[in-house]
Each structure stands twice: as structure tokens, then as C-alpha cells.
Amino acid sequence: MTAIERSQLTVRSPADLIAAVPYLLGFHPTDSVVAVALLGRQIIFAARADLPEPSTDPAERARHLAGVIRRQGAESATVVGYGSADRVTPAVDAVRVALAAGGTEVLDALRVTEGRWWSYLCAEPDCCPPEGRRYDPSANPVTASAVFAGQVALPDRAALVAQVAPVDGPPREAVRAATARAELRITELIEQAPESDLLGGRALRSAGVAAVRAAHRRQRRDERLDDDEVAWLSLLMTHLPVRDHAWERTDGRDRDIALWTDVLRRAEPELIAAPGALLAFAAWRAGQGALAAVALERTLSLHPDYSLAVLLDDLLRRGVPPSELDGWPSVGMPGVLRPRRRSRRGRR
């Protein structure tokens, strides 16, 4: 399941809502059921799940989807299914029942297939003809508003996954060589630490803080880290105090997402846990739940017990909105997230 929270878009018709969904998700959905939460006429949230297999009961997935929507404080919701009628109808019906049971008004329930939409709740042939109503999202004002707001709709979820996929070929070999150099550098750093610095912990943290700050400076100047910088940073972030320092300075800014996406793609597989979790956190804070989800999928596939990734995966699956985090993380025990007082810099 993917949950998202993005810039508010105003909808006035089913065609408006259908045009908005890909920009809310970040990609054009297929074989999916989407629940869109609204306050008045404004979309505030959307949650997506794959259509259940025909042999499975859709009720459990529907209850979870409805629970995610309820947590957003929405007044109402519309359910949209993408795919053939035999698969969409049971899923949409189950979500409608689950939403209504939780007290959420269901404004409409739609099926979208091959450029047409049908309503399960409208029986007026002038409004909702039995052959469906054709729509053109490229001509819809909601699409123009989303594009103007900087929102992107990729062709499909696979395109989103590709954004966090590892580099290969010569770039991979270059980072692998840089990582070997960074390992020697780490060894020298620890060996040269004073005896009072147990296991070189202070030296590692000092080097890590410097590496994080340097990475942020490069990002602010729109400069990409070189291979040695990626290797050094990703290796230092296996030291939890360094990871936590980077986490405290990560929010939902575009430059945070760009930095951790780049490091995640280029770091060696054994070193992706911290950058992958930080990308997921930044994407979640920015309301880009789909990007957060694919970052976590890649991270947890290689590091299933990494505590920060596990924590964020739970927040995302439960549909906890970023607005519940007052400010950015105050880190106590490693992997423990707690809110702290709002900064003067102003967070939503």
C-alpha cells in the first residue's frame, strides 16, 4: 500500500479527481484501488493499494485503506478503481463499506479503464452513461494546476522504482573502488585516535559531522558528490551517531531528497541502509509517500532489521501524516523518533 499527502488540489467533478490522482501518487496507477480523502472540495490525501487477487477476500485490505483515510481527519472520500470490472468492483465495494462503517461519507465510487470512467453510485444516463464517459486528463485544469505546483506523474510505479535503483556498469565499479579507499581511511582514522577515544567513536562522529555538512554544502550549490565523497559518507553513516546527525538535519526539502536519492543509488549495497531510510524520511516529510515506499522497499530488502527503516515503514503503512511530526526529529535512543518543539524556521 502507498499513502501520500501532497499539495491541495481543488476538484469539482469526477474528471477533475481522476486527473489529480496520478499527481497525488506520483505515477499513473494501474490495477489499483485508490481512496481519495477530501475536506470540502479540496483533496488532502490519497492512499493506494494493489487490487486483490480474485481468489482473496478484499475486506481486510479495504479496512486498512479506510483506516488510513480516517487518520487524515477527512470529511469525505471518493474511491477509484483502475482495471477491469471483474477485479475492480469487489475491491471498490469493500472499500466503500469499510469507509461508511468508520463514519466517512463516500461521495462517489468510480472505475477507470482505457480512457473512460464509470460511477457505481450514479444511475443517470445523461451524467453517467452505461458505456462510460470519456475523459482527457491533459485538457483538465487540475492537471495544469498540478504541473504548475511542480508535481510529477510518472508513467507507472516501475518508473518510480527506477529512481532509487542502484547504478551499474562503470559508475558502480568507480564507487566500489572508492569504498575500498574509504575503508582504509576509516581504519587509519580509528588507529590514530587517542587511547581515551574508545574504539575511535569521537573521531568517527567528528569525521561524520564534517562529511554531512560538506554534503549539504555541495547540495546547496547544486553540486553532485564525487565517488569518494559518496563512499566516505555512506561508510561513516554506519556509525549511528553520524546517521542521527544526518537525520536531524533532514527534512522534506527538495535538496534533501536529491542528496539521499543520489547516495542511495550509488552507495555499495551493504551501506544503503542509512541513506535509504533518510530518503524515505525526507520523501515522507514532503508528502511523497510513493517515493518513500519504494525507498523503504529497496532498503528493507537488503537490511530487513534496520530500525529506522522499520519505524518509517510502520508510519507509512498506518498512514500517519507528516503533520503529526511537530518539527523535524529529535533523536534519543537510535531509531526512536519523537516530536520536538516547532522551530522558528517554520514547519507545516
Side-chain angles (χ1 to χ4, degrees), residues 204-224:
L204 286 170
R205 188 182 189 283
S206 178
V209 167
V212 170
R213 289 176 177 172
H216 282 299
R217 283 196 299 271
R218 293 287 296 271
Q219 198 65 44
R220 285 195 296 271
R221 296 195 294 262
D222 293 324
E223 297 173 356
R224 192 175 185 227

Side-chain angles (χ1 to χ4, degrees), residues 164-224:
V164 301
V167 299
D168 57 13
R172 169 57 54 212
E173 294 301 323
V175 173
R176 185 166 296 137
T179 302
R181 293 192 294 270
E183 288 170 347
L184 292 175
R185 189 177 170 188
I186 286 279
T187 300
E188 292 175 359
L189 181 69
I190 295 174
E191 289 175 347
Q192 293 172 6
E195 291 185 6
S196 60
D197 186 3
L198 185 63
L199 300 178
R202 290 197 301 274
L204 286 170
R205 188 182 189 283
S206 178
V209 167
V212 170
R213 289 176 177 172
H216 282 299
R217 283 196 299 271
R218 293 287 296 271
Q219 198 65 44
R220 285 195 296 271
R221 296 195 294 262
D222 293 324
E223 297 173 356
R224 192 175 185 227

Side-chain angles (χ1 to χ4, degrees), residues 69-250:
I69 292 296
R70 284 197 299 274
R71 288 189 190 96
Q72 315 313 311
E75 296 174 347
S76 58
T78 292
V79 187
V80 188
Y82 295 81
S84 61
D86 60 326
R87 294 193 62 198
V88 166
T89 301
V92 168
D93 286 347
V95 175
R96 286 171 53 196
V97 170
L99 286 168
T104 302
E105 180 185 5
V106 178
L107 297 178
D108 208 343
L110 308 172
R111 178 170 70 87
V112 178
T113 307
E114 298 180 350
R116 291 181 180 271
W117 61 266
W118 291 258
S119 172
Y120 289 97
L121 303 186
C122 175
E124 296 293 332
D126 291 341
C127 176
C128 305
E131 69 274 14
R133 184 171 291 279
R134 187 167 293 280
Y135 72 98
D136 181 6
S138 65
N140 192 285
V142 171
T143 300
S145 297
V147 172
F148 181 77
Q151 294 176 257
V152 176
L154 296 173
D156 51 32
R157 194 173 187 273
L160 191 66
V161 172
Q163 290 191 341
V164 301
V167 299
D168 57 13
R172 169 57 54 212
E173 294 301 323
V175 173
R176 185 166 296 137
T179 302
R181 293 192 294 270
E183 288 170 347
L184 292 175
R185 189 177 170 188
I186 286 279
T187 300
E188 292 175 359
L189 181 69
I190 295 174
E191 289 175 347
Q192 293 172 6
E195 291 185 6
S196 60
D197 186 3
L198 185 63
L199 300 178
R202 290 197 301 274
L204 286 170
R205 188 182 189 283
S206 178
V209 167
V212 170
R213 289 176 177 172
H216 282 299
R217 283 196 299 271
R218 293 287 296 271
Q219 198 65 44
R220 285 195 296 271
R221 296 195 294 262
D222 293 324
E223 297 173 356
R224 192 175 185 227
L225 302 185
D226 64 31
D227 295 329
D228 285 299
E229 288 171 321
V230 167
W232 183 237
L233 178 60
S234 59
L235 192 60
L236 284 168
M237 286 204 303
T238 62
H239 187 52
L240 283 182
V242 176
R243 191 281 313 273
D244 287 348
H245 175 80
W247 184 19
E248 288 185 303
R249 283 149 185 81
T250 296

